[in-house]
Amino acid sequence: MRFLLDDMDFIFPYDKMYPEQYAYVSDLKRSLDAHGHCVLEMPSGTGKTVSLLSLIVAYQYHERKMGRPERKLIYCSRTVPEIEKALAELKRLMAYRRDVYNIDDGDFLGIGLSSRKNLCIHPSVRQEKKGKAVDARCRDMTNSVAKAKWEADPESIELCSFHENLNELDQDHLVPYGVHTIDDVKRYGEEHGICPYFAIRRMFMHASVIIYSFHYLLDPKVAEQVSKHMSKDSIVVFDEAHNIDNVCIESLSIDLTRPMLDNAARSVEKLTQTIEEMKAKDASTLEDEYRRLVEGLHGGQEGNDDRPEDEDFMANPVLPSELLQEAIPGNIRRAEHFTAFLARFVEYLKHLKDITFIERKPLKFCAERLSSLVRTLQLTRIDEYAALQKVAAFATLVATYHEGFRLLLEPFETDNATVPNPVFHLVCLDASLAIAPVFERFSSVVITSGTLSPLDMYPKMLRFDATVLESYVMTLTRDCFLPLVVTRGSDQVEISSRFEVRNDPAVVRNFGTLLVEYCKAVPDGVVAFFPSYLYMESIVSAWNEMGILNEVLKHKLIFIETPDAIETSVALENYRRACDNGRGACLLSVARGKVSEGIDFDHNYGRAVIMFGIPYQYTESRILKARLEYLRDTYRIRENDFLTFDAMRHAAQCVGRVLRGKTDYGLMVFADKRFAKQDKRNKLPKWIGQYIKESDTNLATDVAIAHSKRFLRMMAQPFEQSSKSLWGIDEILDKQRGLDPDRSHDHGDEVEERRGQLAEIEMDDAFNEISDEALMQAMNVDVEMQAAPPVAAH
Ligand code: SF4
C-alpha cells in the first residue's frame, strides 16, 4: 500500500496495516523530523521491523528527492538470525517498491555485518570451530606485516587470496547495489573469489542500510573502527533493546582470573624476548616507535583513520579524545620499560601487595601502548596475547574513570564453586558510559522493543532526552491472548517464589499442580519459565519426588533448558517435533535464558506460557548491590524500583513469547501472588496490561483453568480480522482526515479523491506511467478489501 505521511510518499509492502503500525511509523517520523531520539514500545508480533524499515527507507528516498544528504540507517539487532530476518524483510520491501510501484531506488545498498566466523569462505580457516581462532588465522593472513613478508618472499607466508583479490577491484563496487543477506554475500564472495567479510566492511560508506549486532556500536573496542565513516545524521536503531543497559555494562566490564594473569605474565616474558631479538637485529624500528610516541598516542596522525582494518583486536577501550593527543609518559615509551611496567602490574594484580608502586598515568595508556608495541614487533597470532590485552584494557579503564566503576575481588569464580579461584571484577555500573559516544555522535537514536515499560527508565539510565516516548496498545478483533494472575492453589495456599516460601512443600506442590492442570487442558505446547536455573533444578527434583513429573508425562513430553547452548538447541528441536506430532510438549526454561530472549513459540509451539514466580535478580550478588547503590546515588532510582522494573521486563519477555501475531493465540499465566499488586502490573508493557481484567488478577488454580478452557474454546472458532485491528487504505485515509477508521466505507466515490491525493506526490517518471489497473491495485479498492485474507506474514 502507498499513502502520504505528512508530505512523504510512504510505501508499505502489504495491502493492509495494523493501527499500531500506523501509529509507530507516524511517531518514528516525528522523531526523525526533529532529529531527536525516541523510545518506542511495540506489541509482540505486530510487525515492528517491517514498519521501521518501510518508514526509514521512505524517509531516505524523500530526503534524496528534496536534495538533502541521505541519512544512513544503522540497524542493530541482537543475534545473527535476527540480522538475517531484518535483511530478508528489507529485501522484500525493496522488491515490492520496485515491482509494484516501479520505484527506482538506484544505488541503494543494504548489507549486514557479522563476525568472520559467519562470513569466512577460506576453505581451511572456515573449518575452525571457535570464532577467536578464525579471527586469529585471518589476521595472520591479512595484516600489513604479513603482506610485507610475502612481498619479500612469497614462499615464506600464506596470504588469503580472497582478501588479496579485493584489492584488484574497484573499491567502490565490491558488491553490487541491492540488498544482500549474509548468505547472499557469502555466495557472491564464493562466485567472485572475494572475501565477504572485508567486502562488507569496505562497502560501509556506500551503504544506505547497515545491519549488525549491538556489539559493533556499543563495544568501544570495535565501535570506533566499524563506525568511523557514519555521519552524524545517520539514524541508529537498537531493536529488541529491552536489555540494552546490560549490554552497555558488559561491554565495559572486565573479569580477570588467576589463569588469565599467569597467561598475561607469560605474554610479557614473550614480548620482552621479542624486543631483545629485535634490538639485536634492527634497533631502528624500536627507535622509530619511540620517536612516534613522543608525539602522542597516534604518532602525530589525526584520529584513528590510518589504522589498518585488521587491527580491531588491539583497539583500546574508551579513552577520552584529549588523551589521544597527549604524549605517552616517558617511563613507558621505551619498549623494555613498558614490558617491565606491565610485568609489575600483573604481579601486583596477582598478589595485591601494598608496597608495589604503580603510577596512575602510565596505567591509563597501557592498552594503546600495547597495541603500538604489537604493531612495532610485527607479531603474529596476536590472539595468544588476549589475556595481556585484557589486563592492559583493565589498567586503562581503572586509571581513566574515577566514577561509574567498582573493583570487586571475589574469592570464588561462580556462586556454586567450592574451590577458591579469585576473580577480579572491574564492574561498570553506569550503562550510559558505553552508549554516550552513540548519543553524542548520532542525532537520531531509536530504542525499540516489545517490552520497555516503564519507558522513562531508559532515558534516565542511559542519560539522554527522548523526543518521543511511546507505548502502543494492541488492537484486536478478538482477544487472542488471555493474561491471568494465579495467586493461590486450589487448596487456597498462596503461591510465590519469594525467598521465605519458595521451597515450602505446599507452594512447590501447588506450582506442580498448576503445571499438570495446564498440560491436561492445553493442546500442543506449554512453556514454563522459572526465575533461575537453581530454582528450576530444586523444584524439578521436588516434583520428581512428589510424582508430579509423572503426572505431566501422562499428557505431554517434558524438555528442559540447560545453561549449555547445544543441549538447549537439541531440547528445543525435539520440543517442536513433539508439538508437530500433535501430542504436545512441555518446555521448562528460565527467565533471562536463551529461550526467553529470542525463541518464538508461535501457534502450536506455545498455547500457554506459565511464569512461575517473579524473576528477580539474586540480590546478594555484590555486583548487583554495587550497581543498585550507584543507581540510587547517581540517578535517584530506588533499589526496589529498579529490581521490579528489571524483573517485570523479563517476565514480560517470557510471556510475550506465546504471541507472535494477531492470528496467533495463547494464555499468559503469571503464577505468583505478588503479580496481583498494582506496582508490579504497572510495570508490564501497556499492550499486556491493557488486557488484564480486574477479575483475572487473583485466581486460584481451578478457577484459572476454567477461564483458560473457556478461552481456548473461543479461540477454536473461525474468525476474520475486522477493520478495528487491520486497516486498508480507506481506514488510513479516514484516520488522516480525523474520521473514525472503524466506520463503514463507501469506496466508490473515493477512488478519484485518492487518485488526486496520490497525484500530489512528486512522483518520479516511472510512477507517472503507472496504469489505472495498477493504481486501483495499489490503492487496495473495496473489491479486494472484502476478500483480503488476514496479513499472515506479520
Ligand atoms: S580474509 Fe576473509 S576469506 Fe580470508 S581468511 Fe579472512 S575472513 Fe576468511
Side-chain angles (χ1 to χ4, degrees):
M1 66 163 58
R2 181 179 200 170
F3 56 88
L4 281 175
L5 202 56
D6 300 332
D7 59 340
M8 187 185 84
D9 178 12
F10 176 72
I11 291 175
F12 188 70
Y14 295 98
D15 292 339
K16 305 224 174 173
M17 190 176 203
Y18 295 146
E20 44 275 41
Q21 286 179 314
Y22 181 80
Y24 186 87
V25 294
S26 306
D27 287 336
L28 183 54
K29 178 166 185 301
R30 195 152 56 87
S31 162
L32 298 185
D33 284 344
H35 287 257
H37 311 310
C38 59
V39 180
L40 305 175
E41 183 179 62
M42 178 80 157
S44 274
T46 48
K48 169 169 38 79
T49 308
V50 69
S51 312
L52 203 141
L53 292 172
S54 308
L55 188 276
I56 295 178
V57 168
Y59 201 88
Q60 290 177 329
Y61 185 72
H62 183 70
E63 295 285 285
R64 265 204 310 273
K65 272 203 331 195
M66 294 299 179
R68 293 193 276 261
E70 183 185 74
R71 299 180 68 181
K72 269 184 206 301
L73 165 62
I74 307 169
Y75 180 106
C76 302
S77 205
R78 289 173 312 173
T79 59
V80 178
E82 278 168 3
I83 293 173
E84 274 295 71
K85 228 158 86 185
L87 282 165
E89 198 79 74
L90 180 64
K91 200 170 176 179
R92 201 158 42 237
L93 168 69
M94 300 314 286
Y96 182 89
R97 289 170 64 89
R98 184 191 61 231
D99 299 343
V100 177
Y101 292 105
N102 215 2
I103 299 228
D104 175 16
D105 283 297
D107 49 4
F108 180 94
L109 179 65
I111 44 179
L113 181 69
S114 184
S115 62
R116 288 179 175 90
K117 171 93 184 80
N118 293 324
L119 281 167
C120 181
I121 56 168
H122 188 284
S124 71
V125 178
R126 70 199 288 187
Q127 306 296 336
E128 296 283 355
K129 292 211 169 53
K130 289 197 174 151
K132 278 191 181 154
V134 175
D135 289 350
R137 286 197 55 196
C138 172
R139 282 193 193 101
D140 287 350
M141 289 196 289
T142 54
N143 67 42
S144 42
V145 178
K147 181 80 193 248
K149 274 192 191 158
W150 182 85
E151 275 164 4
D153 176 8
E155 297 299 312
S156 65
I157 196 161
E158 184 199 349
L159 296 183
C160 176
S161 60
F162 300 105
H163 183 255
E164 292 309 299
N165 291 346
L166 279 175
N167 300 332
E168 312 292 316
L169 302 176
D170 174 359
Q171 296 300 300
D172 295 336
H173 298 97
L174 294 174
V175 291
Y177 289 119
V179 179
H180 307 286
T181 63
I182 291 184
D183 283 344
D184 290 345
V185 88
K186 267 177 95 171
R187 216 171 307 123
Y188 185 83
E190 273 160 354
E191 279 162 18
H192 293 80
I194 57 168
C195 169
Y197 175 79
F198 284 107
I200 294 289
R201 276 187 61 166
R202 290 186 195 176
M203 286 300 282
F204 264 15
M205 63 181 96
H206 303 289
S208 302
V209 176
I210 299 159
I211 304 185
Y212 49 46
S213 73
F214 280 28
H215 164 80
Y216 286 108
L217 266 195
L218 294 180
D219 187 339
K221 294 194 277 307
V222 289
E224 176 63 23
Q225 286 284 313
V226 171
S227 313
K228 62 187 173 196
H229 298 298
M230 318 296 181
S231 73
K232 175 154 180 68
D233 254 359
S234 303
I235 302 162
V236 174
V237 172
F238 289 104
D239 196 3
E240 300 300 339
H242 46 273
N243 255 341
I244 193 165
D245 52 319
N246 291 333
V247 180
C248 291
I249 278 174
E250 276 161 29
S251 72
L252 281 183
S253 297
I254 297 178
D255 288 350
L256 293 178
T257 57
R258 183 63 194 239
M260 273 183 201
L261 292 176
D262 292 341
N263 204 331
R266 280 195 295 276
S267 295
V268 176
E269 273 169 33
K270 233 193 288 176
L271 281 181
T272 315
Q273 226 175 5
T274 321
I275 291 167
E276 288 308 314
E277 284 164 19
M278 183 168 259
K279 262 189 182 164
K281 257 197 310 190
D282 175 18
S284 64
T285 317
L286 287 167
E287 281 305 319
D288 284 349
E289 187 199 31
Y290 179 86
R291 267 194 300 278
R292 257 196 345 265
L293 292 175
V294 177
E295 292 172 44
L297 274 171
H298 289 137
Q301 295 159 2
E302 274 301 304
N304 242 357
D305 279 4
D306 291 339
R307 276 177 171 230
E309 59 193 356
D310 54 275
E311 291 194 356
D312 48 350
F313 172 75
M314 279 288 171
N316 65 62
V318 249
L319 273 186
S321 52
E322 59 280 7
L323 208 67
L324 300 174
Q325 310 308 327
E326 277 184 47
I328 289 254
N331 55 352
I332 56 167
R333 258 181 239 160
R334 292 226 171 266
E336 59 274 28
H337 293 168
F338 176 56
T339 47
F341 179 83
L342 272 182
R344 215 165 59 235
F345 184 57
V346 173
E347 272 312 296
Y348 168 74
L349 290 177
K350 274 179 169 174
H351 306 293
L352 292 179
K353 284 191 205 129
D354 293 341
I355 43 158
T356 319
F357 180 69
I358 294 172
E359 274 180 83
R360 182 183 206 108
K361 192 154 184 202
L363 271 185
K364 259 192 213 179
F365 291 86
C366 264
E368 194 60 31
R369 178 68 188 89
L370 180 64
S371 16
S372 165
L373 185 62
V374 165
R375 281 196 295 275
T376 308
L377 297 179
Q378 305 181 351
L379 298 175
T380 52
R381 288 307 305 232
I382 42 179
D383 57 314
E384 288 169 7
Y385 296 82
L388 182 60
Q389 198 246 351
K390 257 195 177 182
V391 171
F394 182 94
T396 299
L397 286 173
V398 165
T400 308
Y401 288 95
H402 306 269
E403 275 180 26
F405 283 83
R406 178 78 58 89
L407 263 176
L408 296 171
L409 182 64
E410 298 272 10
F412 296 98
E413 200 172 347
T414 60
D415 293 338
N416 310 334
T418 47
V419 182
N421 182 17
V423 186
F424 229 137
H425 298 284
L426 174 66
V427 195
C428 174
L429 304 173
D430 192 340
S432 73
L433 291 175
I435 206 169
V438 178
F439 285 117
E440 265 162 35
R441 193 166 175 168
F442 301 108
S443 58
S444 292
V445 178
V446 180
I447 307 266
T448 188
S449 172
T451 49
L452 292 172
S453 291
L455 299 184
D456 58 348
M457 201 61 140
Y458 290 85
K460 243 195 241 174
M461 284 192 304
L462 304 178
R463 278 194 221 227
F464 69 97
D465 294 320
T467 314
V468 180
L469 211 61
E470 245 347 299
S471 174
Y472 305 93
V473 294
M474 200 165 182
T475 52
L476 295 172
T477 305
R478 58 168 187 173
D479 295 348
C480 63
F481 68 95
L482 179 66
L484 298 169
V485 179
V486 182
T487 54
R488 290 157 289 140
S490 304
D491 57 4
Q492 303 305 315
V493 173
E494 287 180 331
I495 50 175
S496 174
S497 66
R498 206 154 49 86
F499 187 72
E500 298 79 8
V501 297
R502 54 168 45 187
N503 291 319
D504 181 329
V507 172
V508 174
R509 182 174 295 282
N510 273 330
F511 274 154
T513 315
L514 188 69
L515 184 67
V516 173
E517 290 303 321
Y518 269 98
C519 286
K520 230 191 259 180
V522 176
D524 303 320
V526 174
V527 188
F529 287 98
F530 296 83
S532 67
Y533 282 113
L534 215 61
Y535 188 46
M536 180 168 76
E537 270 171 31
S538 77
I539 257 206
V540 169
S541 91
W543 282 351
N544 191 30
E545 281 163 23
M546 292 173 177
I548 285 171
L549 291 187
N550 282 338
E551 272 305 303
V552 174
L553 280 170
K554 284 185 193 159
H555 309 281
K556 303 222 182 289
L557 289 176
I558 302 174
F559 298 92
I560 301 187
E561 177 183 9
T562 70
D564 183 304
I566 299 173
E567 265 176 23
T568 302
S569 308
V570 175
L572 262 174
E573 205 185 305
N574 288 323
Y575 168 81
R576 287 181 189 279
R577 202 176 298 160
C579 290
D580 287 337
N581 283 346
R583 185 179 173 198
C586 166
L587 180 69
L588 307 181
S589 355
V590 291
R592 297 187 175 81
K594 181 177 176 239
V595 169
S596 73
E597 280 290 330
I599 311 288
D600 293 344
F601 295 100
D602 53 331
H603 298 96
N604 63 324
Y605 298 125
R607 289 300 182 203
V609 168
I610 309 172
M611 182 71 239
F612 286 117
I614 301 186
Y616 279 114
Q617 290 191 61
Y618 171 59
T619 40
E620 291 309 304
S621 143
R622 289 173 66 196
I623 297 179
L624 178 63
K625 277 186 176 166
R627 186 169 177 207
L628 290 175
E629 242 170 63
Y630 186 81
L631 285 171
R632 188 194 58 216
D633 298 345
T634 317
Y635 294 105
R636 310 242 171 281
I637 298 174
R638 286 181 310 176
E639 283 98 330
N640 261 344
D641 285 346
F642 178 78
L643 288 173
T644 311
F645 148 78
D646 181 67
M648 293 311 285
R649 68 174 158 176
H650 284 101
Q653 265 300 308
C654 295
V655 295
R657 305 283 104 208
V658 80
L659 194 75
R660 308 317 291 172
K662 291 187 183 181
T663 53
D664 198 2
Y665 64 88
L667 291 154
M668 298 175 175
V669 183
F670 296 92
D672 193 304
K673 71 170 184 163
R674 294 169 295 172
F675 280 121
K677 290 191 184 153
Q678 202 59 41
D679 73 311
K680 307 284 179 303
R681 278 188 284 139
N682 285 348
K683 291 191 169 69
L684 280 173
K686 207 164 154 187
W687 64 272
I688 297 182
Q690 156 205 23
Y691 285 100
I692 303 188
K693 293 190 205 104
E694 212 43 55
S695 56
D696 287 341
T697 55
N698 187 8
L699 303 175
T701 302
D702 45 355
V703 185
I705 291 289
H707 286 208
S708 302
K709 283 184 179 164
R710 199 173 333 122
F711 168 81
L712 290 170
R713 265 200 306 278
M714 242 157 54
M715 290 300 110
Q717 308 309 313
F719 91 108
E720 252 181 58
Q721 298 274 10
S722 75
S723 60
K724 180 185 168 206
S725 60
L726 193 61
W727 288 354
I729 189 78
D730 296 299
E731 286 81 7
I732 286 172
L733 293 174
D734 280 350
K735 169 80 187 163
Q736 293 185 337
R737 289 195 208 104
L739 301 173
D740 174 13
D742 206 14
R743 73 193 176 101
S744 65
H745 291 94
D746 172 11
H747 305 297
D749 298 340
E750 294 185 0
V751 174
E752 280 310 310
E753 192 188 334
R754 288 199 296 278
R755 185 195 288 272
Q757 288 209 344
L758 282 171
E760 281 172 23
I761 308 171
E762 255 190 80
M763 292 168 203
D764 54 30
D765 290 342
F767 183 71
N768 286 335
E769 286 165 18
I770 197 164
S771 66
D772 276 5
E773 197 187 337
L775 185 64
M776 297 286 274
Q777 190 191 10
M779 289 190 297
N780 189 27
V781 289
D782 43 357
V783 184
E784 253 184 43
M785 270 196 61
Q786 309 299 338
V791 187
H794 287 204

